[in-house]
Amino acid sequence: DTEVTQTPKHLVMGMTNKKSLKCEQHMGHRAMYWYKQKAKKPPELMFVYSYEKLSINESVPSRFSPECPNSSLLNLHLHALQPEDSALYLCASSQIGNQPQHFGDGTRLSIL
Amino acid sequence: AQSVSQHNHHVILSEAASLELGCNYSYGGTVNLFWYVQYPGQHLQLLLKYFSGDPLVKGIKGFEAEFIKSKFSFNLRKPSVQWSDTAEYFCAVSRTYNTDKLIFGTGTRLQVFP
């Protein structure tokens, strides 16, 4: 089992809905990440938080809004998504510096 | 810009066969290198990593990888695969001292038949 917990595991939403994805870790990691993974493709980095501050935004559309309320939690707020946003959304965490990332199971998102 | 190439998109092997998956990266500076595995329906798991030192790195489940700097390569090997090794394998690279930006290769799907 992974030590990075993501909820929900599956989410189906309409293009006008507002929903949030949640990620939690209790490993004391101070860096947290959101990735998007389309079918049969590698994960693509979306956002990085270091010490609860947004440090990297890979030119992600504003309909995706990340939030890091504390060092253990990472949210991804979704609004007015498009069908092409359907994907597996992965959360990861790591220690700051030269350390590997630990991944959650992901949230499989479907936009109707 | 950094990039990672995995030339083997789909590999099919019988149990006990030897495995080598290719990974080449493009980056002029020093890098950290990783292999992750994604079993069907499961999360990405770290198989092994290279930061510095001995270029031959041993990981979990009998996997190893060799960093060849002159060839910009970090190939994954296992002498004898098992059915349970069936999974998607991703090579990834980040700049040294900046593991935030992890760039993944396109992945290799490994199928092992009994």
Side-chain angles (χ1 to χ4, degrees):
Chain A
D1 288 339
T2 178
E3 296 176 12
V4 177
T5 304
Q6 290 187 244
T7 56
K9 293 192 181 302
H10 302 273
L11 178 61
V12 180
M13 58 187 286
M15 289 190 285
T16 58
N17 292 157
K18 286 185 180 180
K19 296 285 185 183
S20 297
L21 308 185
K22 297 187 183 301
C23 175
E24 188 169 2
Q25 58 86 16
H26 294 288
M27 294 179 282
H29 293 169
R30 300 305 297 275
M32 296 186 76
Y33 313 79
W34 281 114
Y35 289 84
K36 175 182 179 180
Q37 187 178 20
K38 300 282 278 185
K40 301 188 187 303
K41 298 289 187 183
E44 295 179 353
L45 184 65
M46 299 174 71
F47 302 104
V48 180
Y49 274 82
S50 297
Y51 297 110
E52 296 88 68
K53 302 288 185 194
L54 184 65
S55 58
I56 296 177
N57 177 341
E58 290 289 285
S59 303
V60 179
S62 60
R63 58 186 184 267
F64 294 91
S65 176
E67 178 197 19
C68 190
N70 60 55
S71 59
S72 301
L73 293 174
L74 184 67
N75 299 321
L76 186 62
H77 302 299
L78 314 173
H79 175 53
L81 295 194
Q82 303 298 309
E84 61 265 27
D85 296 323
S86 297
L88 181 68
Y89 288 83
L90 297 168
C91 175
S93 70
S94 74
Q95 300 284 8
I96 297 291
N98 238 17
Q99 298 294 334
Q101 296 179 22
H102 298 255
F103 286 83
D105 287 332
T107 293
R108 191 160 297 281
L109 177 65
S110 298
I111 307 301
L112 301 179
Chain B
Q2 293 168 271
S3 67
V4 182
S5 299
Q6 291 181 245
H7 304 295
N8 314 106
H9 297 294
H10 191 189
V11 174
I12 301 173
L13 294 173
S14 299
E15 276 193 318
S18 64
L19 170 72
E20 182 160 3
L21 301 182
C23 173
N24 288 89
Y25 66 93
S26 171
Y27 183 64
T30 55
V31 294
N32 298 320
L33 296 157
F34 308 84
W35 276 98
Y36 282 87
V37 61
Q38 193 170 32
Y39 297 103
Q42 295 189 27
H43 62 278
L44 278 161
Q45 299 175 40
L46 182 68
L47 269 180
L48 46 79
K49 62 185 185 290
Y50 173 81
F51 286 166
S52 64
D54 188 344
L56 184 61
V57 180
K58 294 197 183 298
I60 61 171
K61 306 187 181 190
F63 287 91
E64 65 177 31
E66 185 175 12
F67 171 49
I68 303 180
K69 190 175 180 180
S70 61
K71 295 185 178 180
F72 296 89
S73 70
F74 190 56
N75 292 354
L76 182 71
R77 300 194 292 247
K78 186 171 184 178
S80 176
V81 295
Q82 300 172 311
W83 176 79
S84 57
D85 293 323
T86 294
E88 189 88 20
Y89 291 81
F90 292 98
C91 181
V93 63
S94 68
R95 288 178 300 171
T96 298
Y97 302 115
N98 186 6
T99 49
D100 287 359
K101 196 159 184 175
L102 195 59
I103 306 298
F104 284 88
T106 50
T108 297
R109 183 179 173 212
L110 172 66
Q111 281 185 290
V112 180
F113 289 96

